[in-house]
Amino acid sequence: MTRIVSIGPERLERWLAGFAERHGDTAYSVTPSKLTALAEDGSRADIDVPFGPLEELTPAGLVAHVLTDRRLGLLLVRRGGYGAGVFDGSKLVDSKVGSRHVQGTTKAGGWSQQRFARRRDNQAREAFNAATEVAVRILAPAKLDVLVCGGDRKAIDTVLEDPRLKALRPLVRPPFLGVADPRQKVLEQAGVDARAIRIELTDPDPDPA
């Protein structure tokens, strides 16, 4: 059986030690993008390196890597709202959230439906323009190390197409976060989720006996 656990960066060192304590002697395979721990009882843990590549290819190197304070940008965009934040390590140092009304779908047909669709497209365009201006003001001058995005992928792509945000595009790293319409609390939690370490745990095959 395989399952995913998520922990804060500050817990990784203890988690790795506990894995070995629970499952026995553990061998590690470390690449610039992944650490794999394989214990003597057959248990396995796979950890994708966040914000890689990893330079020191050891478990200790991964721990040091995830504990490195980074200037992390967060961009969340959906049709109904947007948010941008800058984190120094785990501390939110600058942010802005906002919303725009975008009508839902309609079952009306014919000319009325076309007029409704045009109005909805215009509202969405205004919402994305507002999100772009916030990104330009909050994120563009922030000297980021990494940018994590979330919400609606098409909306994010639309915002990052703006020439003023060209320097941010190479900084985008996973995970892509699924979020509700961005509010301040949503933005703050997204910052926690962006820094979280995701571990894929695979239990050993059951004894056929």
Side-chain angles (χ1 to χ4, degrees), residues 127-142:
F128 296 162
N129 287 342
T132 300
E133 293 305 318
V134 166
V136 168
R137 179 161 64 87
I138 300 294
L139 301 177

Side-chain angles (χ1 to χ4, degrees), residues 94-118:
D94 195 11
S95 66
K96 173 67 177 178
V97 297
S99 61
R100 287 288 190 277
H101 175 67
V102 179
Q103 290 176 297
T105 57
T106 179
K107 295 182 180 179
W111 182 81
S112 294
Q113 184 178 19
Q114 295 173 12
R115 182 178 62 180
F116 182 93
R118 286 195 298 271

Side-chain angles (χ1 to χ4, degrees), residues 22-173:
R22 292 189 299 273
H23 300 289
D25 289 343
T26 300
Y28 299 94
S29 173
V30 189
T31 72
S33 60
K34 178 178 287 191
L35 177 144
T36 297
L38 185 60
E40 65 178 349
D41 71 353
S43 298
R44 172 174 173 150
D46 292 290
I47 305 174
D48 289 331
V49 175
F51 314 140
L54 179 64
E55 295 183 0
E56 181 185 336
L57 303 182
T58 65
L62 177 61
V63 170
H65 176 83
V66 302
L67 291 176
T68 299
D69 280 341
R70 293 176 176 82
R71 198 159 173 87
L72 183 147
L74 196 62
L75 177 62
L76 309 176
V77 187
R78 295 177 62 90
R79 280 182 177 268
Y82 53 85
V86 177
F87 292 79
D88 267 336
S90 61
K91 183 180 179 181
L92 180 63
V93 296
D94 195 11
S95 66
K96 173 67 177 178
V97 297
S99 61
R100 287 288 190 277
H101 175 67
V102 179
Q103 290 176 297
T105 57
T106 179
K107 295 182 180 179
W111 182 81
S112 294
Q113 184 178 19
Q114 295 173 12
R115 182 178 62 180
F116 182 93
R118 286 195 298 271
R119 183 185 304 131
R120 188 169 184 267
D121 287 344
N122 288 337
Q123 290 172 340
R125 190 176 301 109
E126 291 173 0
F128 296 162
N129 287 342
T132 300
E133 293 305 318
V134 166
V136 168
R137 179 161 64 87
I138 300 294
L139 301 177
K143 298 180 180 179
L144 301 176
D145 297 309
V146 63
L147 176 65
V148 173
C149 302
D152 179 83
R153 290 183 184 273
K154 184 177 180 180
I156 289 290
D157 290 343
T158 298
V159 170
L160 291 180
E161 284 174 359
D162 190 285
R164 294 171 294 175
L165 300 175
K166 180 179 179 180
L168 296 183
R169 296 172 204 159
L171 303 180
V172 176
R173 295 290 186 276

